[in-house]
Amino acid sequence: MENLKNTKKAYVRTYGCKQNFADSEKITGLLSSMGYTLTFHTGDADLIIFNTCAVRENAEQRVFGNVGELKKLKEEKPDLIIILCGCMTQQLHTAEKFKAKFPFIDAIAGTNIISSIPEIIKKAAVTVKKGANIHIGEAAGEFIEEIKPLREGKFSANVPIMNGCDNFCTYCVVPLVRGREVSRTAHNIVREVKALINEGRRDILLLGQNVNSFGKNTDEKIDFTGLLQKLDELDGEFVISYMTSHPKDCKRELIDFIAQSRKISRHLHLPVQSGSNRILSLMNRGYTRESYMELALYAKEKIPDISLTTDILVGFPGENYEDFRQTLDLTEKIGFDSAYTFIYSKREGTAAANMDDPVTAEEKSEWFKELLEVQNKIGERSYERFIGKTLRVFCTGQGRSDPALLTGKSKQGIIVDFLGGTSEMQGKFADVKITKSLPWALIGNL
Ligand code: 5AD
Ligand code: SF4
């Protein structure tokens, strides 16, 4: 690594989910220990890394477009090293496609790039004018505790608690590209969170594809509730949020603990995907419409100030309008604060890719619009329930809409803009009385 010490500039671009962003923070941490400084312009860079996402086809198309744009840069600067990594390039068929389409790429790695970065850069520096080396490697989550991530922002932090996924939902490529589920030790997580709090970070997000199965397949006798208990006991004021929860593994005991905890977020992101039992079963989700509704309503009852959000997938192979109507019905009955909605995208290598998919793209798009209309109507008014209440808000800076306001995040994960604060409040907590609600934020007074 020593001879790579230099003052060269690296540009890292991340696509997709928070887990990928957390990986990139480790990548930039490692690059910085190698002597690279970071740049936000591809034009200045000596090294460009794209950390890609494969969850849907449109994410992939964006990456293909952006990589294509690098061709000119490489022609102007032949020593520029271009590396692709992440979920897309973990799949050999996609890696080969990149190699064939863009011969100017220097290295194509997979999801386990972090520990091999120095070696990949070293090799790429030798073969820089010869085109891509493909290093794929097993898709297995690795936790390199020694690498300190270079975190964006001052007040928040992403903390991966596990990697990979064992669920094999039939539409999802994640288990194929991120490998089997591996949990970090509770000891290392608690130590990291403590250090982050000591640095002044107060908004900690625990990350995993299915946080509710944390601790399975390990020697430690601790589950996700146990981990949250340990974190809740740490000194100081801070908020621990977490994603993503899986309805099949999220137990009432966890909800009960959160209800009486002091420092655990009041935001539950609980992806439902579909409201039809027939489709849930084809998706291999492991729960029913009824059990989902019971759990969601239990959470709302036990934690009255909770914010409940979800993911919904429209147009899964074989879904018909009656199935879709069940999704609309569930959406209306639960009343989510917001829903991330997606049209099904066929992913090579998944079980759903081999299922009959007779519904046309146009029809799916009509259903999608119908769902958006229903959810927008619910979302428009759902924050009204906070008007008149006082929320504890972690203040992060000046309001975007109006610099006279300060902005922050409530324990529900909702943006709160408020009057009456001063800039010294950044990085601190405040009590804010809510006076107005918007579909995406709350407004109030200190
Ligand atoms: N097509 C569309 N959406 C998908 N998701 C996962 N796989 C696919 C796919 N093949 C959505 C799910 C998941 C979210 C992160 O992305 O709703 O919860
Ligand atoms: Fe994909 Fe299902 Fe795992 Fe989530 S739980 S990452 S949707 S396979």
Side-chain angles (χ1 to χ4, degrees):
M1 216 193 306
E2 218 20 62
N3 61 1
L4 284 165
K5 286 245 182 239
N6 51 34
T7 51
K8 292 196 165 177
K9 289 188 179 153
Y11 171 94
V12 178
R13 177 158 184 175
T14 314
Y15 298 81
C17 67
K18 300 243 182 199
Q19 197 91 8
N20 237 21
F21 278 84
D23 285 351
S24 287
E25 288 179 338
K26 284 232 161 176
I27 293 174
T28 51
L30 187 59
L31 291 177
S32 127
S33 74
M34 289 169 70
Y36 278 94
T37 54
L38 292 187
T39 171
F40 297 102
H41 307 284
T42 49
D44 306 339
D46 302 288
L47 167 68
I48 294 178
I49 299 182
F50 279 6
N51 188 7
T52 63
C53 167
V55 77
R56 280 173 291 277
E57 195 185 344
N58 52 7
E60 294 201 335
Q61 276 165 351
R62 213 150 50 88
V63 179
F64 273 108
N66 295 155
V67 175
E69 289 159 15
L70 298 179
K71 182 168 186 244
K72 215 170 140 256
L73 265 184
K74 180 76 174 184
E75 281 165 2
E76 289 163 6
K77 200 171 177 182
D79 287 337
L80 168 68
I81 296 174
I82 300 174
I83 299 176
L84 304 186
C85 65
C87 294
M88 265 176 101
T89 45
Q90 182 64 42
Q91 295 185 293
L92 189 59
H93 66 92
T94 314
E96 296 285 4
K97 200 162 148 191
F98 272 118
K99 185 174 172 160
K101 213 169 157 151
F102 307 116
F104 57 85
I105 298 170
D106 297 294
I108 301 178
T111 44
N112 272 347
I113 183 173
I114 299 160
S115 57
S116 33
I117 273 199
E119 183 209 343
I120 294 173
I121 294 177
K122 218 188 264 177
K123 269 198 185 159
V126 175
T127 60
V128 71
K129 289 162 193 122
K130 295 197 191 127
N133 295 299
I134 300 188
H135 307 245
I136 298 281
E138 286 259 309
E142 49 170 6
F143 289 108
I144 305 158
E145 300 291 344
E146 302 74 45
I147 299 176
K148 201 168 155 34
L150 195 67
R151 291 193 157 89
E152 282 183 20
K154 279 196 293 192
F155 302 129
S156 62
N158 295 328
V159 176
I161 61 168
M162 56 211 293
N163 211 336
C165 182
D166 285 351
N167 290 305
F168 290 95
C169 300
T170 52
Y171 51 82
C172 185
V173 77
V174 169
L176 309 182
V177 291
R178 284 196 171 264
R180 297 292 60 73
E181 194 179 281
V182 188
S183 296
R184 270 175 88 185
T185 66
H187 171 78
N188 283 337
I189 297 166
V190 172
R191 194 179 54 180
E192 183 173 3
V193 171
K194 252 190 201 165
L196 292 166
I197 294 164
N198 285 338
E199 274 173 29
R201 296 180 192 267
R202 300 282 176 261
D203 175 19
I204 311 286
L205 175 61
L206 307 180
L207 290 173
Q209 304 297 343
N210 173 4
V211 291
N212 307 100
S213 67
F214 171 80
K216 275 187 196 162
N217 313 325
T218 63
D219 299 335
E220 285 193 315
K221 293 244 171 314
I222 187 162
D223 61 4
F224 185 57
T225 308
L227 177 68
L228 290 185
Q229 271 164 348
K230 278 185 186 285
L231 295 173
D232 196 51
E233 283 162 11
L234 295 179
D235 289 338
E237 187 170 10
F238 54 89
V239 180
I240 302 280
S241 39
Y242 52 92
M243 75 188 323
T244 297
S245 300
H246 195 307
K248 90 175 154 59
D249 296 314
C250 180
K251 301 285 176 256
R252 287 181 171 215
E253 172 197 63
L254 172 69
I255 310 280
D256 293 342
F257 169 69
I258 292 172
Q260 49 91 43
S261 72
R262 295 165 304 154
K263 300 171 187 179
I264 310 301
S265 159
R266 265 53 182 155
H267 174 205
L268 178 61
H269 183 64
L270 197 61
V272 66
Q273 313 297 0
S274 168
S276 150
N277 281 335
R278 195 177 73 83
I279 296 301
L280 287 172
S281 157
L282 286 173
M283 287 177 167
N284 190 31
R285 288 290 288 173
Y287 55 87
T288 61
R289 166 193 175 84
E290 292 75 24
S291 66
Y292 180 93
M293 288 186 58
E294 239 175 70
L295 180 66
L297 297 175
Y298 184 75
K300 281 189 158 198
E301 181 199 315
K302 274 276 167 168
I303 312 172
D305 62 345
I306 201 168
S307 167
L308 188 65
T309 60
T310 199
D311 291 347
I312 300 175
L313 222 164
V314 175
F316 182 82
E319 183 174 18
N320 57 39
Y321 191 72
E322 180 45 36
D323 296 311
F324 173 68
R325 256 188 19 80
Q326 299 257 321
T327 301
L328 286 182
D329 180 69
L330 180 141
T331 306
E332 278 174 331
K333 285 201 168 113
I334 302 271
F336 296 107
D337 284 312
S338 65
Y340 296 89
T341 48
F342 309 101
I343 294 184
Y344 167 75
S345 164
K346 181 174 172 175
R347 307 286 68 207
E348 199 173 318
T350 61
N354 300 320
M355 296 180 187
D356 263 358
D357 190 5
V359 175
T360 61
E362 290 72 33
E363 206 170 341
K364 289 184 184 186
S365 159
E366 285 304 314
W367 297 357
F368 184 75
K369 276 192 226 147
E370 207 177 328
L371 174 63
L372 278 190
E373 267 170 38
V374 165
Q375 178 54 38
N376 285 347
K377 214 178 247 169
I378 299 168
E380 224 163 77
R381 307 201 52 183
S382 77
Y383 288 166
E384 281 180 5
R385 66 186 189 278
F386 293 109
I387 295 178
K389 301 235 156 70
T390 298
L391 299 184
R392 193 86 177 139
V393 173
F394 179 55
C395 178
T396 50
Q398 270 181 341
R400 254 178 293 174
S401 55
D402 180 349
L405 298 177
L406 285 176
T407 192
K409 207 166 136 187
S410 77
K411 275 184 113 176
Q412 291 74 15
I414 303 170
I415 295 172
V416 180
D417 284 357
F418 60 98
L419 267 175
T422 58
S423 56
E424 288 91 73
M425 290 179 67
Q426 291 185 28
K428 302 199 172 92
F429 285 86
D431 289 322
V432 176
K433 182 147 189 193
I434 304 304
T435 52
K436 189 176 159 189
S437 84
L438 303 170
W440 62 89
L442 293 167
I443 312 288
N445 295 318
L446 185 69

